[in-house]
Amino acid sequence: PNNLQVTILVKKHRNDKYEYPSLSKKKNVQILSSDYPLYDFLHYIDCLMTIASTTAFEAALLDKPLLILQPSIPYHYVLNHNQNNAYFAQSQAGEKIENATELIQAVTKITTVPDYVDHLTKKVNTFRSSSIKTVHWAPALTKNKIKEIMMKHL
């Protein structure tokens, strides 16, 4: 909405050929090209909205709150026959947003309710600590994976 003091950056995916004509006309929306360097803006955002981008992991590493967009939209069956699009929502990495009303409410709360931002930051920290393993875990994870593969083939 135009009444909120926010700028929305839309970072296009490298395979995204859509021009977003309705969004590009809005004064508080900027469409970034697919080759725009991610880290040139990721450090400066207040919140990341995503459906299933791995950028959410990178934002989580930077303690950025997440809005997980889960609209009812068709997915190309061959390209997207998996649960990747629901991973962040199922992991409760951020606020799950299913429609435009929920999105407007969440963005409004981000700009007006500091406790809401704290709540989202706690969710992303919990997600990060349970999802992203450090190098310390690598030997144990590798051992378990090798054991799993061997057991399948014995």
Side-chain angles (χ1 to χ4, degrees):
N2 292 329
N3 62 333
L4 292 178
Q5 296 295 316
V6 297
T7 299
I8 297 174
L9 303 176
V10 177
K11 168 74 166 75
K12 293 176 70 168
H13 187 273
R14 66 182 171 278
N15 296 329
D16 188 354
K17 306 300 180 207
Y18 191 66
E19 295 299 323
Y20 300 94
S22 62
L23 287 178
S24 61
K25 295 175 186 172
K26 298 196 177 288
K27 63 181 179 180
N28 64 337
V29 175
Q30 293 181 6
I31 310 294
L32 305 177
S33 67
S34 60
D35 60 351
Y36 193 94
L38 177 65
Y39 298 106
D40 282 3
F41 74 90
L42 194 57
H43 288 279
Y44 303 103
I45 63 171
D46 295 315
C47 180
L48 179 79
M49 293 183 269
T50 186
I51 293 176
S53 174
T54 56
T55 303
F57 285 115
E58 294 157 301
L61 290 171
L62 296 171
D63 290 329
K64 301 297 182 179
L66 300 174
L67 297 180
I68 312 303
L69 308 178
Q70 294 293 283
S72 178
I73 59 175
Y75 286 96
H76 187 286
Y77 182 81
V78 174
L79 296 177
N80 299 296
H81 184 58
N82 55 54
Q83 287 298 309
N84 291 350
N85 61 314
Y87 176 74
F88 296 109
Q90 291 169 349
S91 300
Q92 298 181 3
E95 189 75 24
K96 182 178 172 184
I97 307 294
E98 295 182 329
N99 56 53
T101 301
E102 290 178 2
L103 179 59
I104 291 168
Q105 290 170 347
V107 172
T108 300
K109 286 175 23 181
I110 286 171
T111 61
T112 59
V113 182
D115 288 345
Y116 182 65
V117 175
D118 293 342
H119 166 72
L120 292 177
T121 302
K122 286 177 186 169
K123 286 182 93 151
V124 82
N125 288 333
T126 300
F127 163 75
R128 185 181 63 227
S129 66
S130 66
S131 298
I132 302 173
K133 302 298 181 192
T134 63
V135 173
H136 168 74
W137 284 91
L141 295 172
T142 303
K143 176 186 169 195
N144 290 342
K145 191 63 175 174
I146 291 170
K147 186 176 177 182
E148 176 188 325
I149 292 168
M150 289 175 62
M151 296 305 287
K152 284 183 181 177
H153 297 286
L154 291 179

